[in-house]
Amino acid sequence: MQDDARARIQKLLVTGDNRLKQGVSPEKVRETYEQALEVAREAGLEDAIRPLVEVRLADLQRLEGESPPPGPPAA
């Protein structure tokens, strides 16, 4: 059972990573990471998986908060 959960978690994390790289909406990416955490919680693996998900969510939040690079200074 835990092996199945681990495989599902890994697939969800990779899917979320790929979605992020492909420019899918941040909401969809976040949803995928949160699904991985939910599967981990149900399988009793939350303590091991939570740090992986938290890092990804923090990166996602940082990317969402970034503004476009500034233009050249006015002359």
Side-chain angles (χ1 to χ4, degrees):
M1 172 90 166
Q2 277 197 345
D3 286 343
D4 290 344
R6 287 180 194 275
R8 286 182 59 209
I9 292 164
Q10 182 178 12
K11 183 175 190 242
L12 285 164
L13 291 176
V14 170
T15 298
D17 293 347
N18 288 338
R19 285 178 171 170
L20 184 60
K21 289 176 192 171
Q22 294 166 359
V24 174
S25 74
E27 296 82 22
K28 200 74 163 155
V29 175
R30 182 181 316 284
E31 183 180 299
T32 305
Y33 291 147
E34 289 174 352
Q35 285 175 353
L37 190 56
E38 182 61 31
V39 171
R41 189 175 298 123
E42 291 171 0
L45 300 169
E46 183 176 6
D47 290 343
I49 301 304
R50 178 173 289 284
L52 301 173
V53 173
E54 286 178 348
V55 165
R56 285 169 166 86
L57 290 174
D59 285 346
L60 181 62
Q61 185 173 3
R62 180 181 53 79
L63 290 171
E64 286 180 299
E66 283 184 1
S67 55

